[in-house]
Amino acid sequence: MNNTNSSARPTASKDGKPRPPASKDDLNASAHFSLRQVITRIIFALIASAMISTLKLDYIESYLYDVRVTLKAMLGLSNPTNTPIVMVKISNATVDQFKGFPGFQQHTNFLNQLKKGSPHFVIYEFRNKDGKIEDIDGTEAERLAFAKTAEQIKEFYVPTDKTELKAEAGKLKFDEPLENIKIFSGPKAPDMYLFAKDSVYRRMLINYQDQILLHANVAGFYNPEIAALKNIRGRFEFLDSSQVYIHYYKQGSFPTFNFEDVLEGKVDPAVFKDRLVIVGTDTGKSVREYVQTPYSREITSMASMELHANMFQTLIDNSAPLRLPPWVNILLTSLISVLTVHVVLTLKPSRGLLLLMATLLGLALVAIILYALFTIWIDLAHPFLAIFLCYYFFIPYRLIIENRKSWEYFQKNKLLKQVEELKTNFISMMSHDLKTPIARIQGMTEMILKDEVALSSLQREAVDTIRSSSDDLLKFINSILQYGRIESQGVELHRQSKDINQIIIDVIKKHEFLAKVKKIKIVKELETLFPVSVDPDLIRQAFSNLIENAIKYSGEESTVIVRTREEQNKVLIDVIDQGIGIPAVDLPNIFMKFFRSHNVKTSTIKGTGLGLYLAQYFVHLHRGEITVISNSDQGSHFTVHLPINQ
Ligand code: ADP
């Protein structure tokens, strides 16, 4: 047997009224897009990305790059392997010891110590407090002695930030007697007027007007591979120069000694053997000693000599960061724009936001991994901006579409309600107008039938049929009227404490005649019950509909059982018949208004399809429910559940 309860109605809302308009989720679920829509969206996204790509975002881009440089160092992934570089610093302690910056005499003594270790290169960032060689203390003889000592070192260079034009080669010279010391152009190039314009040192020059500069020249000795420009990783051309980005090594990566320790012979000269020795200052007395780096924009982020060390090492390792070409940036920005527009216009807002955040984080993660493991710099500023801008551009557009849809549904719903109202009013009006003529017909037939002699038996039978048909019609009209009232005004409950058994007995009595005609036995199995607070008229009608159905849809000489019982704060009323039953396919629909199962529609049993709808409506008003177990040809078992404490 199949079983259903009153809430198992798939096609109508509980009160039988039209359903509310579809929710936004329903709309999303059913959304499907035409090719035209898809193409329009892609075009919109591409236009947006083209606009975004033209924006100059060097500052943000560089900032995002700096984060990756710092992260790589923090992860311990930017240490030089086998560096030939050694640094010697003139520190605050040195200045204290010599009661000022070392003079030429001390520099000569220092060089003599260094010479013992026979370094290959000595890069001398000559400076006193003001950074000028001319101001270093010393007599003419002391200067000359220094120059002579420097000449004995294999390659001794003083780097300068100046760049000579090709025609000016050799013009950069010290005054006598230092004229033989080679000043080598090895400029430090901050992003002062270009790119990020934040004075951070990110780039270095390899050559200028085809003249090789200091760092490439020195690095070529340790790594001959880079002698050919084309072999230099990450090289790009800019304003008559070849450049690379500096690969920043973790701060403190290069072995460093104090000037005075070397001078006093406290450092074993062997540590300088064949090395590249950078001599510079780190006294904290002048900003000129320091540079700003990706690690920090502090003026004193790194000593200038350490920057030189990083520049040399970048080329020695040939490990300059490889910035992916602009077309990759444009492609990525376009893809991200298309994705964002699609997400904004299609997905639920919360899910869309989540997906975009995931894209953002995913992209950041890929960029970090690429830099940390392969020193590859992928531009992020434009793709990131694409996510934000496309999101904020297209959200209002989405809202307009959603609003338009809601408005359309609202209008449709309004129309449906109006039609439904019109229908109900029409039915009530018609039924009302029909009642009077029927009452008149009934009156007339009663009158005729009362006259014992006026009619022949054939005529009597005809008038009898007229009477029973008009009875059916009246019942039909009453149901419709009641339905109309419920739909337009609802029903008010007038509760009284009642014995349900008594109501059942009354209802059965009313149907006894009908049962007798079909020789149907009605068996009452009534337990003693607590009184229940109900509207007796409505509950009576609900039971009446169920018992009438049981008799109506049962064959002759069958039994109908009406049982009452109490269970867990509920009164249960069973109406059980042995009739035609309800086919499984119809079972979920029998409580719908005007529904009749197909096995009765073809029979002569009359009905409106409103009885169960009304019965259920009245029981629901009492916070109860009706369940049914039935199957074709196996009888039906309806149960009304009424809560005792309502
Ligand atoms: P009707 O006026 O057609 O009886 P109801 O709303 O009372 O309308 O019942 C709806 C339909 O449910 C009926 O048309 C019938 O198909 C089915 N039905 C209701 N009660 C029974 C029953 N006791 N036995 C078999 N079918 C029933």
Side-chain angles (χ1 to χ4, degrees):
M1 280 213 173
N2 280 298
N3 181 352
T4 185
N5 67 32
S6 55
S7 54
R9 288 179 302 144
T11 49
S13 60
K14 265 205 160 149
D15 56 0
K17 295 196 172 150
R19 272 172 174 271
S23 72
K24 275 189 186 163
D25 287 1
D26 291 345
L27 301 185
N28 286 332
S30 64
H32 56 274
F33 311 102
S34 66
L35 189 67
R36 223 187 80 213
Q37 254 177 328
V38 172
I39 292 175
T40 320
R41 281 172 193 191
I42 292 179
I43 290 175
F44 270 139
L46 291 182
I47 292 173
S49 81
M51 276 159 48
I52 291 166
S53 294
T54 59
L55 297 176
K56 279 216 126 324
L57 302 175
D58 287 329
Y59 186 81
I60 304 171
E61 188 58 60
S62 303
Y63 180 82
L64 293 170
Y65 167 70
D66 293 353
V67 171
R68 277 168 276 176
V69 173
T70 312
L71 267 176
K72 182 172 179 170
M74 275 164 59
L75 293 170
L77 293 168
S78 54
N79 303 322
T81 46
N82 253 341
T83 176
I85 298 170
V86 174
M87 297 198 298
V88 179
K89 69 171 179 191
I90 295 169
S91 67
N92 203 18
T94 323
V95 176
D96 282 352
Q97 186 170 334
F98 297 114
K99 309 223 164 12
F101 277 77
F104 270 111
Q105 177 70 56
Q106 279 99 17
H107 279 296
T108 309
N109 294 345
F110 167 79
L111 279 192
N112 277 325
Q113 284 297 330
L114 212 56
K115 232 169 55 188
K116 288 185 195 159
S118 87
H120 193 96
F121 293 97
V122 173
I123 309 299
Y124 223 84
E125 270 221 299
F126 242 137
R127 64 171 80 240
N128 71 347
K129 184 157 90 344
D130 300 319
K132 285 195 202 138
I133 187 169
E134 291 82 3
D135 293 342
I136 292 180
D137 284 343
T139 61
E140 199 60 15
E142 283 167 349
R143 281 167 196 259
L144 191 62
F146 177 80
K148 291 273 173 237
T149 318
E151 271 172 42
Q152 289 158 15
I153 288 176
K154 277 189 201 128
E155 300 195 46
F156 183 93
Y157 301 125
V158 174
T160 175
D161 284 342
K162 290 184 186 138
T163 45
E164 300 167 316
L165 293 176
K166 221 185 238 173
E168 300 174 331
K171 273 200 173 171
L172 276 175
K173 265 195 185 335
F174 288 124
D175 296 338
E176 277 183 39
L178 304 176
E179 75 275 13
N180 287 335
I181 292 176
K182 182 153 170 59
I183 304 178
F184 208 139
S185 178
K188 306 188 294 286
D191 286 344
M192 190 113 65
Y193 307 110
L194 296 162
F195 302 112
K197 298 185 182 144
D198 55 3
S199 301
V200 170
Y201 290 77
R202 296 188 184 86
R203 305 168 282 126
M204 63 182 277
L205 276 69
I206 295 167
N207 68 16
Y208 177 66
Q209 289 204 325
D210 297 331
Q211 305 169 82
I212 190 136
L213 298 176
L214 173 68
H215 300 92
N217 186 50
V218 171
F221 172 79
Y222 293 103
N223 181 5
E225 183 200 354
I226 62 151
L229 276 187
K230 67 171 176 31
N231 289 341
I232 298 180
R233 183 187 142 107
R235 186 177 55 89
F236 59 94
E237 303 299 319
F238 186 74
L239 295 181
D240 225 356
S241 66
S242 286
Q243 306 196 0
V244 289
Y245 290 100
I246 302 167
H247 183 191
Y248 270 94
Y249 294 91
K250 200 171 160 188
Q251 275 177 294
S253 286
F254 303 98
T256 308
F257 301 99
N258 288 324
F259 183 86
E260 63 275 21
D261 291 345
V262 177
L263 180 65
E264 290 163 12
K266 287 185 191 158
V267 177
D268 178 5
V271 298
F272 302 116
K273 178 103 183 87
D274 296 332
R275 292 296 163 116
L276 157 56
V277 182
I278 305 172
V279 184
T281 50
D282 182 5
T283 66
K285 298 199 186 304
S286 156
V287 289
R288 259 175 297 201
E289 295 176 358
Y290 300 97
V291 290
Q292 285 165 266
T293 67
Y295 292 136
S296 128
R297 286 167 196 209
E298 289 285 311
I299 299 283
T300 55
S301 169
M302 184 181 271
S304 166
M305 66 178 159
E306 190 170 347
L307 172 69
H308 278 299
N310 277 288
M311 286 154 84
F312 285 122
Q313 191 67 37
T314 298
L315 291 176
I316 292 169
D317 286 347
N318 198 10
S319 64
L322 189 66
R323 186 170 184 177
L324 294 183
W327 66 262
V328 177
N329 186 26
I330 292 172
L331 186 73
L332 195 62
T333 309
S334 308
L335 286 177
I336 293 277
S337 303
V338 170
L339 177 83
T340 310
V341 171
H342 176 73
V343 163
V344 169
L345 297 185
T346 327
L347 295 191
K348 269 205 276 180
S350 54
R351 199 176 301 167
L353 202 64
L354 216 68
L355 192 78
L356 290 181
M357 291 302 281
T359 311
L360 200 105
L361 289 178
L363 202 61
L365 202 69
V366 168
I368 289 170
I369 292 173
L370 277 181
Y371 191 80
L373 298 184
F374 311 107
T375 330
I376 289 176
W377 170 358
I378 182 166
D379 285 7
L380 284 181
H382 288 101
F384 277 9
L385 192 71
I387 294 182
F388 288 115
L389 286 190
C390 287
Y391 187 80
Y392 283 106
F393 273 155
F394 288 93
I395 275 285
Y397 179 63
R398 162 89 184 251
L399 284 180
I400 291 169
I401 293 177
E402 293 289 350
N403 266 348
R404 206 182 57 199
K405 268 190 204 157
S406 303
W407 189 80
E408 279 169 8
Y409 274 89
F410 174 73
Q411 291 300 327
K412 258 187 214 164
N413 196 36
K414 214 161 100 181
L415 204 73
L416 273 177
K417 266 192 185 154
Q418 281 171 353
V419 170
E420 185 82 4
E421 242 168 63
L422 223 68
K423 210 172 73 188
T424 315
N425 288 348
F426 177 74
I427 292 173
S428 312
M429 237 165 58
M430 284 285 292
S431 319
H432 208 265
D433 289 350
L434 283 175
K435 255 180 116 172
T436 327
I438 286 176
R440 222 176 285 145
I441 293 171
Q442 279 182 325
M444 294 298 172
T445 46
E446 288 296 334
M447 212 174 75
I448 295 170
L449 286 173
K450 266 189 196 145
D451 191 336
E452 296 283 331
V453 287
L455 299 173
S456 70
S457 67
L458 212 64
Q459 284 168 327
R460 186 168 289 278
E461 210 173 295
V463 176
D464 224 18
T465 314
I466 292 174
R467 190 186 58 178
S468 80
S469 296
S470 58
D471 275 353
D472 288 344
L473 204 55
L474 195 64
K475 233 194 267 173
F476 180 82
I477 288 168
N478 279 335
S479 302
I480 300 249
L481 276 175
Q482 199 160 22
Y483 160 72
R485 253 198 310 278
I486 288 172
E487 290 287 296
S488 56
Q489 308 156 12
V491 177
E492 241 179 66
L493 281 184
H494 300 286
R495 287 182 187 273
Q496 293 170 26
S497 193
K498 282 278 172 194
D499 178 7
I500 295 291
N501 285 339
Q502 195 50 53
I503 298 179
I504 296 281
I505 291 167
D506 291 349
V507 172
I508 291 177
K509 201 174 280 169
K510 231 180 82 190
H511 289 91
E512 251 160 13
F513 177 73
L514 194 61
K516 205 181 274 174
V517 172
K518 290 178 85 174
K519 300 193 190 84
I520 289 175
K521 201 165 124 201
I522 301 182
V523 177
K524 288 178 273 194
E525 295 176 5
L526 309 178
E527 254 182 32
T528 316
L529 301 171
F530 279 117
V532 184
S533 161
V534 291
D535 183 318
D537 287 342
L538 299 184
I539 282 298
R540 187 174 295 119
Q541 188 164 348
F543 294 157
S544 176
N545 288 357
L546 292 178
I547 293 171
E548 186 185 325
N549 278 352
I551 299 169
K552 219 163 62 170
Y553 297 115
S554 290
E556 292 201 349
E557 295 183 5
S558 62
T559 306
V560 170
I561 302 171
V562 183
R563 185 186 296 149
T564 58
R565 57 204 160 100
E566 247 172 39
E567 205 174 80
Q568 293 170 350
N569 270 337
K570 273 195 227 163
V571 167
L572 304 183
I573 302 97
D574 300 296
V575 180
I576 306 162
D577 66 52
Q578 299 166 334
I580 62 171
I582 302 161
V585 279
D586 291 333
L587 208 53
N589 302 324
I590 55 167
F591 292 96
M592 276 168 60
K593 50 193 164 187
F594 298 113
F595 182 85
R596 303 201 72 207
S597 67
H598 58 268
N599 60 343
V600 307
K601 269 199 266 188
T602 48
S603 77
T604 52
I605 309 169
K606 295 190 197 84
T608 56
L610 283 172
L612 285 184
Y613 167 75
L614 291 173
Q616 188 198 50
Y617 190 94
F618 297 147
V619 171
H620 275 173
L621 284 179
H622 289 82
R623 296 178 202 282
E625 57 173 338
I626 307 183
T627 55
V628 54
I629 302 171
S630 183
N631 215 333
S632 282
D633 301 323
Q634 290 174 27
S636 305
H637 180 162
F638 284 84
T639 307
V640 177
H641 305 242
L642 278 180
I644 293 176
N645 303 316
Q646 296 174 25

